[in-house]
């Protein structure tokens, strides 16, 4: 698996490109510019006493990168590790981190008009981290502010002292 | 941001110049450092030419650079310094302690001004007027007493007044024979201000003389003109300078300055010369010839005053660090180095680290090969191993800097501190050439500074106390650095009063710390690192509040280092700081527990042995102990601490590895010893967070990540 082609310049209309991935039955979208690469899943080195959704760390060409299983974090029903399991490696402002997802689809360009505000409902995901709901044809994409999501305390990557 | 470049060559040139600012600031910083270094070592009674030239060159470089970049304040100050230094190196004047002091202060001021420019020119700039004044006085050979401002030029004749000599309007002066004598370098003038609509405005100029130290003195003279004030002024400033100052209050064309003519008691006839020496003469009104003569006389008088050399002074007090030869070496050591950005070096180290990992992987994968068939390949791999090791050592040494860089700031700091506290302290450094990693240098400087200040403030006694105790009046503080094993050891030693066991135990009990009289001395000394701990009777602004030492300890622990104290009451104290030599690559021992591999720093491994369950005894609260020869040691089962899942019930931990950190030992219980090899230490916290009992991670030959154990953390854990 190689890196996703990064052509994510904002077009004149203000549209941005989102990488879409699937967790169980839900489809999510994240800013393509934050995606460094997509890899297959390899068994990470376990870190003791970490939350269960933090699987451990892996060696990414010399850098130690933590792996977070989003399916465990979002309480998905089916969690499998097979040859189709995908890890999206994110390059965020303060860290490089990999997230395990069920599968990756395509890169969608969404104009601001196609994005609606998300209703304020009780869910696993903190509402601050949802940019909105995008719709393309019949698909509904939950657009995530992946930077904020991964930096949140409950994601376990940041210690409360930071 | 930048001072506007005078030539106005337009935006393009300004932009280009900014690129060179950084280099200039760095070089100026180095020049200032060097200047300070030579100044501190300067032997005043026998200063050699090389040293004097060295200091001169430093000032000259900075002056040139700051003038080029338009930093006028620095240029002016260093220009003055240069003038003084020029006279010194030509042996026109002798060096005296005041010169060293003022040059050091000027170096500080320059540093501060440069820092301000580097930061964009915000905020207040330190005033350099008094420094400039003192420098020029010293350069002129006059003692810098409370007096004049604005540098009188070295060339004589400050006497030519800019304003025309007006004869008749001089009011008759009631002779006051008791006029105070003029200070050297001053002249006496009459200042007439007016006519003014609000003549009280003129009185405001008197404030100038009050507010500006050294401007001179001013007193009223009776004025017979309406709306006009007349003043008698003693000053060494030029008329132009005075006019500029007065312009704050009155316009220049209202001010007239003339030389003061003291009239005799008997008649109002203008008087001729005053006495000899450097007092400013008054000339007969309108007699040009006389004026000339008097001016000349004044000039010779001033010229005579100039080269008066103060008697050769005693050599500068205290704080002389390395012997003078080091200074001359420093003056010459210029062109054999190359300046490289730190991130380039770091990148190089990273790449070499990767190379080490790849080489380890090759070594591992080739282990199973048939030696007969692959003889050449295997031989090549052996060579590769050796080459990689050599390359790695070389590259690591690029980042190594000699300790002298760290030590260099102490002589000055101690000198100032000792003076401030009224103590006499000699400063000795040993092992300045010991090298340590650049990253360490920055982080070790603050803790060391604190320890040295502590020694000076609390350790070394006042000179009288020392004499009373049969010690020499001068205390000695020694900074010594050396390599020991895989560590660098830095000692701060003083021959002061040492630590008092009684006082510390008492203070510890007051603070309800858990202490007992059975504690060994070394344990008692370590108590002073507790937060908020201080036995100081008096809190000075230097120390005593009890906030410093625990921060010192923490900083050193953050570098994976340790601190130890040794002390004899009444004789002195030694604080030893031990730091690992390199942060990036270390020797490790890999151990297996279950399916997982962990790495122990080899330097902390003492021994290992097989163990049976009967050798391990359990005490209260489930803690386990193992007996090793005559010592009982706590046992830490890695399986438990890291919650390692046991898939294979056959395997169990049967091997003990004794490790040592921070003076204590524990035994780690593991399944298997896998081997010993160099590991590249990778930072776990850059993308993740701090994990307890783990100091970092590394990449094994098979590409997998292994965690490196924090032995210090484990040892601490076992203590509780």
């Amino acid at each position: 698996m190689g890196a996703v082609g990064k052509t994510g310049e904002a077009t004149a209309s203000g549209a941005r490109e989102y990488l879409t991935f699937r967790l169980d039955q839900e489809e999510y979208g994240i800013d393509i510019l934050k995606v460094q690469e997509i890899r297959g899943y390899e068994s990470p080195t376990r870190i003791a006493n970490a939350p269960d959704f933090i699987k451990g760390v892996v060696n990414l060409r010399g850098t130690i990168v933590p792996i977070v299983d989003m399916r465990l974090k979002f309480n998905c029903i089916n969690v499998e590790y097979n040859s189709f399991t995908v890890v999206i490696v994110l390059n965020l402002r303060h860290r490089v981190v990999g997230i395990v997802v069920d599968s990756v689809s395509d890169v969608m360009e969404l104009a601001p008009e196609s994005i609606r505000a998300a209703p304020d409902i009780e869910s696993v995901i903190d509402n601050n981290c949802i940019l909105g709901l995008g719709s393309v044809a019949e698909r509904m994409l939950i657009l995530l502010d992946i930077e904020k999501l991964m930096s949140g305390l409950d994601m376990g990557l940041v210690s409360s002292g930071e | 941001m930048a001072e506007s470049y005078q030539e106005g060559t337009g935006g393009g040139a300004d932009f280009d110049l900014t690129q060179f600012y950084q280099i200039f600031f760095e070089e100026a910083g180095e020049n200032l450092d060097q200047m300070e270094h030579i100044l501190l070592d300067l032997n005043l009674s026998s200063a050699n030419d090389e040293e004097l030239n060295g200091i001169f060159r430093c000032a000259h470089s900075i002056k040139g650079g700051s003038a080029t970049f338009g930093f006028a304040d620095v240029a002016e100050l260093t220009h003055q310094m240069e003038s003084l230094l020029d006279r010194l190196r030509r042996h026109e004047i002798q060096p005296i302690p005041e010169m060293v002091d003022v040059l050091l202060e000027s170096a500080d001021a320059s540093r501060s001004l440069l820092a301000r420019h580097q930061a964009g020119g915000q905020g207040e700039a330190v005033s350099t007027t008094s420094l400039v004044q003192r420098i020029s006085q010293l350069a002129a050979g006059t003692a810098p007493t409370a007096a004049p401002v604005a540098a009188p030029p070295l060339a004589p004749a400050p006497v030519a007044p800019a304003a025309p000599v007006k004869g008749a309007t001089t009011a008759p002066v009631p002779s006051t024979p008791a006029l105070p004598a003029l200070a050297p370098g001053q002249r006496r003038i009459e200042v007439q201000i007016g006519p003014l609509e609000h003549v009280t405005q003129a009185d405001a100029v008197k404030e100038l003389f009050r507010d500006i130290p050294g401007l001179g003195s001013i007193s009223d003279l009776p004025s017979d003109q309406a709306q006009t004030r007349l003043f008698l002024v003693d000053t060494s400033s030029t008329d132009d300078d005075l006019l500029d100052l007065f312009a704050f209050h009155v316009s220049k064309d209202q001010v007239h300055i003339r030389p003061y003519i003291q009239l005799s008691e008997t008649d109002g006839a203008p008087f001729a010369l005053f006495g000899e020496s450097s007092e400013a003469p008054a000339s007969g009104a309108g007699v040009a010839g006389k004026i000339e003569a008097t001016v000349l006389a004044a000039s010779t008088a001033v010229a005579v005053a100039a080269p008066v050399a103060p008697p050769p002074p005693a050599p500068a007090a205290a704080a002389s660090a390395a012997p003078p030869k080091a200074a001359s070496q420093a003056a010459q050591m210029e062109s054999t180095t190359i300046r490289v950005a730190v991130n380039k070096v770091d990148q190089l180290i990273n790449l070499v680290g990767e190379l080490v990992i790849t080489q380890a992987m090759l070594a591992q994968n080739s282990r199973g090969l048939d030696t007969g068939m692959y003889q050449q390949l295997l031989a090549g791999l052996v060579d590769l191993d050796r080459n990689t090791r050599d390359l790695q050592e070389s590259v690591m040494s690029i980042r190594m800097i000699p300790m002298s860089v760290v030590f260099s700031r102490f002589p000055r700091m101690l000198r100032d501190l000792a003076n401030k506290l009224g103590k006499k302290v000699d400063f000795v450094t040993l092992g300045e050439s010991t090298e340590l990693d650049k990253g360490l240098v920055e982080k070790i400087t603050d803790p060391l500074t604190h320890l040295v200040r502590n020694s000076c403030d609390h350790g070394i006694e006042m000179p009288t106390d020392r004499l009373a105790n049969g010690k020499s009046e001068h205390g000695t503080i020694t900074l010594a650095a050396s390599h020991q094993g895989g560590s660098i050891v830095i000692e701060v030693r003083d021959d002061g009063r040492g630590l008092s066991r009684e006082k510390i135990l008492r203070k510890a009990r007051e603070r309800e710390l858990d202490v007992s009289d059975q504690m060994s001395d070394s344990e008692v000394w370590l108590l002073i690192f507790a937060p908020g701990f201080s036995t100081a009777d008096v809190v000075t602004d230097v120390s005593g509040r009890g906030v410093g030492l625990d921060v010192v300890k923490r900083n050193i622990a953050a570098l994976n280092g340790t601190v130890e104290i040794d002390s004899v009451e009444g004789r002195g104290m030694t604080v030893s700081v031990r730091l690992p030599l390199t942060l990036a690559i270390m020797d490790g021992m890999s151990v297996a527990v279950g399916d997982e591999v962990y790495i122990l720093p080899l330097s902390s491994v003492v021994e290992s042995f097989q163990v049976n369950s009967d050798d391990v005894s359990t005490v209260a609260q489930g803690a386990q102990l193992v007996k090793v020869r005559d010592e009982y040691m706590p046992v830490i089962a890695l399986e438990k601490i890291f919650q390692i899942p046991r898939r294979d019930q056959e395997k169990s931990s049967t091997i003990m590895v004794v490790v040592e950190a921070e003076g204590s030992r524990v035994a780690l219980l593991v399944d298997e010893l896998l081997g010993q090899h160099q590991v590249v230490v990778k930072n776990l916290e850059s993308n993740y967070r701090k994990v307890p009992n783990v100091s970092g991670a590394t990449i094994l030959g098979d590409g997998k990540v292994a965690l490196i154990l924090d032995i210090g953390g484990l040892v601490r854990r076992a203590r509780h």
Side-chain angles (χ1 to χ4, degrees):
Chain A
M1 307 222 178
V4 172
K6 287 205 200 145
T7 53
E9 305 134 3
T11 58
S13 60
R16 290 159 83 173
E17 293 185 301
Y18 298 88
L19 174 71
T20 58
F21 62 88
R22 193 179 275 277
L23 292 177
D24 254 0
Q25 302 306 314
E26 251 90 86
E27 276 201 283
Y28 297 85
I30 54 177
D31 185 0
I32 188 74
L33 293 175
K34 307 249 191 287
V35 176
Q36 177 176 299
E37 61 191 273
I38 299 180
R39 293 164 70 89
Y41 179 82
E42 70 181 82
S43 194
T45 300
R46 194 186 64 91
I47 300 216
N49 303 319
D52 64 334
F53 52 87
I54 298 189
K55 304 298 295 174
V57 289
V58 295
N59 162 28
L60 186 68
R61 293 185 305 280
T63 313
I64 309 286
V65 175
I67 301 292
V68 177
D69 195 332
M70 298 303 264
R71 303 157 317 165
L72 293 174
K73 181 76 178 101
F74 291 167
N75 299 327
C76 296
I77 310 158
N78 290 327
V79 180
E80 285 181 2
Y81 298 97
N82 54 37
S83 50
F84 301 109
T85 313
V86 172
V87 173
I88 303 176
V89 179
L90 303 165
N91 194 331
L92 307 174
R93 201 174 31 233
H94 296 300
R95 63 189 76 243
V96 176
V97 61
I99 57 174
V100 187
V101 299
D102 284 327
S103 63
V104 169
S105 326
D106 37 1
V107 178
M108 312 287 315
E109 186 179 313
L110 287 173
E113 303 85 67
S114 353
I115 304 178
R116 267 169 275 135
D120 200 2
I121 51 173
E122 178 103 10
S123 84
V124 180
I125 313 172
D126 186 357
N127 257 36
N128 286 339
C129 302
I130 299 186
L131 293 172
L133 300 176
S135 65
V136 181
E138 295 97 41
R139 292 156 75 188
M140 185 190 80
L141 302 171
I142 305 170
L143 301 175
L144 298 173
D145 182 343
I146 197 69
E147 179 96 47
K148 214 181 268 178
L149 184 63
M150 301 313 287
S151 313
L153 277 177
D154 59 339
M155 199 51 84
L157 295 171
V158 177
S159 64
S160 43
E162 281 182 39
Chain B
M1 158 218 145
E3 310 284 315
S4 58
Y5 194 43
Q6 302 293 0
E7 281 162 26
T9 38
D14 273 342
F15 182 76
D16 280 339
L17 271 187
T18 346
Q19 293 173 348
F20 302 119
Y21 281 175
Q22 191 50 37
I23 301 180
F24 163 66
F25 286 128
E26 281 176 20
E27 288 184 352
E30 286 178 10
N31 274 321
L32 284 169
D33 286 339
Q34 189 162 324
M35 192 191 304
E36 195 178 286
H37 184 75
I38 306 181
L39 278 170
L40 286 169
D41 281 348
L42 204 59
N43 186 333
L44 288 173
S45 54
S46 61
N48 75 53
D49 282 353
E50 207 164 320
E51 293 171 329
L52 293 173
N53 277 320
I55 315 175
F56 173 82
R57 274 197 298 273
C58 293
H60 183 70
S61 296
I62 303 175
K63 180 195 86 168
S66 26
T68 307
F69 290 106
F71 301 138
D73 45 8
V74 181
E76 212 242 308
L77 180 58
T78 41
H79 172 68
Q80 295 296 334
M81 290 163 74
E82 191 191 49
S83 311
L84 172 61
L85 289 162
D86 199 25
R87 302 208 71 202
L88 275 171
R89 73 176 181 155
R90 286 185 212 274
H91 301 290
E92 287 170 19
I93 48 178
Q94 281 289 344
I96 53 173
E98 287 85 353
M99 291 183 189
V100 175
D101 284 337
V102 80
L103 285 171
L104 284 174
E105 284 177 43
S106 305
D108 284 345
S110 306
R111 223 186 273 272
S112 148
L113 289 171
L114 284 171
R116 181 176 165 271
H117 284 299
Q118 196 172 10
Q122 305 300 328
E124 290 267 320
V126 299
S127 153
T128 54
T129 27
S130 80
L131 280 172
V132 165
Q133 166 200 349
R134 281 159 64 198
I135 295 177
S136 26
Q137 285 173 321
L138 286 169
T142 56
T145 47
V149 136
L154 292 183
V159 178
V165 176
K166 279 200 190 135
T169 49
T170 311
V173 177
S175 70
T176 40
L179 273 178
L182 278 174
Q186 281 193 329
R187 62 202 175 97
R188 189 157 279 162
I189 51 176
E190 235 175 43
V191 176
Q192 179 184 333
I193 304 184
L196 293 168
E197 201 179 302
H198 297 286
V199 74
T200 44
Q201 275 176 341
D203 291 329
V205 307
K206 288 202 273 194
E207 286 175 27
L208 290 168
F209 286 86
R210 198 180 55 232
D211 292 339
I212 301 178
L215 182 57
S217 59
I218 185 169
S219 48
D220 288 305
L221 293 173
S223 165
D224 58 355
Q225 290 198 324
Q227 302 298 95
T228 304
R229 283 273 192 272
L230 197 60
F231 300 107
L232 178 67
V233 171
D234 291 345
T235 183
S236 67
S237 304
T238 63
D239 284 358
D240 282 330
D241 287 338
L242 288 175
L243 285 172
D244 283 337
L245 282 171
F246 294 167
F248 281 116
H249 298 288
V250 295
S251 78
K252 285 190 191 177
D253 51 16
Q254 302 283 10
V255 180
H256 305 289
I257 303 183
R258 315 173 264 280
Y260 177 61
I261 303 160
Q262 169 135 46
L263 304 177
S264 72
E265 290 176 73
T266 51
D267 57 21
F271 205 59
L273 291 165
F274 261 106
E276 59 284 346
S277 82
S278 45
E279 286 182 23
S283 56
V287 181
K290 260 199 191 156
I291 293 177
E292 242 177 322
T294 56
V295 164
L296 275 175
S299 54
T300 42
V302 172
V304 161
V308 168
S320 80
K325 66 166 169 62
S328 61
Q329 279 171 347
Q332 284 166 355
M333 190 187 65
E334 283 166 15
S335 49
T336 56
T337 56
I338 186 172
R339 194 192 290 279
V340 178
V342 172
N343 57 355
K344 282 193 188 173
V345 177
D346 284 342
Q347 171 73 333
L348 192 59
I349 292 182
N350 269 351
L351 291 173
V352 170
E354 295 306 313
L355 196 61
V356 167
I357 293 174
T358 309
Q359 180 264 324
M361 185 201 75
L362 285 175
Q364 170 155 1
N365 287 339
S366 66
R367 228 171 272 172
L369 290 180
D370 180 342
T371 40
M373 284 208 322
Y374 296 101
Q375 190 180 28
Q376 283 198 316
L377 177 63
L378 292 172
L381 286 174
V382 167
D383 281 345
L384 181 64
D385 182 85
R386 196 184 54 240
N387 286 338
T388 314
R389 208 169 280 271
D390 287 344
L391 176 63
Q392 173 201 311
E393 268 180 41
S394 262
V395 166
M396 294 310 293
S397 75
I398 293 182
R399 273 180 60 107
M400 303 292 264
I401 302 184
M403 277 299 289
S404 50
V405 169
V406 176
F407 288 169
S408 61
R409 64 162 53 192
F410 289 111
R412 176 70 194 278
M413 183 204 93
L414 259 187
R415 172 199 161 107
D416 293 342
L417 185 59
N419 282 342
K420 183 168 164 180
L421 297 171
K423 300 191 181 173
K424 297 204 161 99
V425 183
D426 287 335
F427 183 64
V428 176
T429 52
L430 299 171
E432 295 108 337
S433 55
T434 312
E435 291 190 329
L436 78 167
D437 186 88
K438 178 172 165 67
L440 276 182
V441 164
E442 284 140 27
K443 296 187 186 147
I444 199 59
T445 308
D446 277 346
L448 278 185
T449 306
H450 193 95
L451 290 172
V452 171
R453 285 168 81 104
N454 248 25
S455 276
C456 189
D457 195 10
H458 297 296
I460 306 281
E461 313 93 323
M462 296 296 294
T464 37
D465 294 334
R466 287 183 67 91
L467 286 174
N469 286 332
K471 291 182 173 179
S472 63
E473 207 186 19
H474 282 251
T476 306
I477 295 186
T478 309
L479 259 189
S482 58
H483 285 302
Q484 281 179 27
S487 317
I488 181 172
V489 177
I490 307 173
E491 287 184 351
V492 181
R493 286 201 284 267
D494 69 67
D495 62 354
R497 61 169 68 95
L499 293 176
S500 156
R501 192 192 158 97
E502 316 308 316
K503 266 192 174 177
I504 295 180
L505 280 175
R506 196 182 339 129
K507 202 70 175 211
R509 291 205 176 92
E510 274 175 39
R511 309 193 78 235
E512 289 166 19
L513 294 173
D514 183 21
V515 295
S516 80
D517 282 324
Q518 273 71 45
M519 284 168 77
S520 68
D521 277 353
S522 32
E523 288 172 322
V524 173
W525 307 145
L526 286 178
L527 288 172
I528 66 176
F529 285 114
F533 196 98
S534 169
T535 57
D537 301 312
V538 177
V539 172
T540 67
D541 68 347
V542 174
S543 49
R545 262 186 223 96
V547 278
L549 278 181
D550 71 316
V551 175
V552 167
K553 178 144 194 248
R554 219 179 313 137
N555 285 351
I556 293 178
L559 298 171
N560 286 331
T562 57
V563 193
E564 274 169 27
I565 301 187
D566 200 7
S567 168
V568 178
E569 187 160 4
R571 300 273 290 280
M573 176 167 121
T574 302
V575 182
S576 308
V577 176
R578 187 180 289 261
L579 300 169
L581 254 188
T582 62
L583 304 176
I585 300 191
M586 65 169 213
D587 285 311
M589 171 185 268
S590 44
V591 298
V593 185
D595 290 334
E596 303 185 0
V597 176
Y598 291 89
I599 309 282
L600 314 174
L602 196 61
S603 53
S604 53
V605 174
V606 177
E607 58 183 305
S608 61
F609 52 89
Q610 274 213 301
V611 74
N612 302 321
S613 37
D614 356 332
D615 298 330
V616 181
S617 32
T618 311
V619 296
Q621 291 137 4
Q624 294 188 303
L625 295 177
V626 69
K627 188 164 188 207
V628 183
R629 290 183 289 278
D630 299 320
E631 210 186 320
Y632 276 103
M633 213 176 287
V635 173
I636 296 185
L638 290 187
E639 182 183 344
K640 221 175 281 162
I641 294 220
F642 292 108
Q643 304 197 315
I644 301 174
R646 278 276 181 221
R647 258 177 282 270
D648 186 353
Q649 289 308 322
E650 293 290 322
K651 283 207 254 177
S652 66
S653 297
T654 53
I655 301 197
M656 290 274 187
V657 181
V658 178
V659 292
E660 179 169 15
E662 297 180 13
S664 312
R665 292 184 177 188
V666 291
L668 302 177
L669 193 53
V670 303
D671 287 3
E672 227 184 301
L673 299 184
L674 294 176
Q676 226 172 281
H677 40 144
Q678 281 209 315
V679 297
V680 177
V681 178
K682 294 277 182 188
N683 195 314
L684 195 55
E685 286 162 66
S686 46
N687 287 327
Y688 187 45
R689 55 191 282 182
K690 173 117 187 59
V691 177
N693 303 319
V694 170
S695 70
T698 185
I699 298 173
L700 301 172
D702 60 358
K704 290 214 155 278
V705 178
L707 299 179
I708 302 176
L709 299 187
D710 174 11
I711 304 295
L714 288 170
V715 161
R716 257 173 273 138
R717 186 200 169 94
R719 274 199 206 129
H720 300 128

